[in-house]
Structure formats: C-alpha cells, structure tokens
Amino acid sequence: MGDRYNIHSQLEHLQSKYIGTGHADTTKYEWLVNQHRDSFSSYLGHPDLINYIAICENEAKARVRFNLMEKMLQPCGPPPDKPED
C-alpha cells in the first residue's frame, strides 16, 4: 500500500512541475497542443534539423526558425468552445 501512495505522490509532483505531463482533466486539445509545442521546440533546439527543414522548404534558416516560433502560439488552431454548465 505504501508503494502505491508513493508512486501516486511522485506522479502528482511531476504533473505539477511539468505542464506537458498532463493530468486527469487534460483535454484532447491541450494534450495535442503540448505535443506540437514539444516537437517545435525540439526542432528549434537542434540546428541540424533547422538546416534540413530549410533545405526541404527552400527557405532561409532564419525564416524557418521564425515560422516555427509563430506556429508555437496556436499550433492546433484556436481552442474549441467550452460547453457551458
């Protein structure tokens, strides 16, 4: 019983510390946005991926970097309307 409580408390700590780990109330939209932002930040953090994308799109590296930063604002479009209670 002690191990289960310990694991549960560790999971709660991770969920409060890192936004992308989600929680029980995470919607599909929020989860998808986190996935897209994680991917874009990974691309931005690896210069070789920026070079590869720039060559594929025939764009300058700075333009690719700018486009990825712009996509991070709303990677999946505007949030869906929340149903009123």
Side-chain angles (χ1 to χ4, degrees), residues 7-69:
I7 291 170
H8 185 65
S9 108
Q10 288 176 355
L11 184 60
E12 284 181 352
H13 175 69
L14 279 175
Q15 289 170 343
S16 67
K17 189 173 181 183
Y18 301 108
I19 212 103
T21 55
H23 50 79
D25 297 329
T26 301
T27 64
K28 182 178 179 181
Y29 175 79
E30 291 170 343
W31 181 82
L32 199 57
V33 165
N34 286 333
Q35 293 296 316
H36 281 265
R37 285 187 179 149
D38 286 347
S39 297
F40 292 146
S41 65
S42 177
Y43 301 155
L44 289 169
H46 293 87
D48 291 335
L49 282 174
I50 295 288
N51 292 338
Y52 178 77
I53 294 169
I55 290 170
C56 291
E57 294 181 352
N58 197 22
E59 291 279 353
K61 290 188 287 185
R63 172 57 64 184
V64 170
R65 204 173 281 116
F66 176 77
N67 288 341
L68 288 173
M69 290 293 284

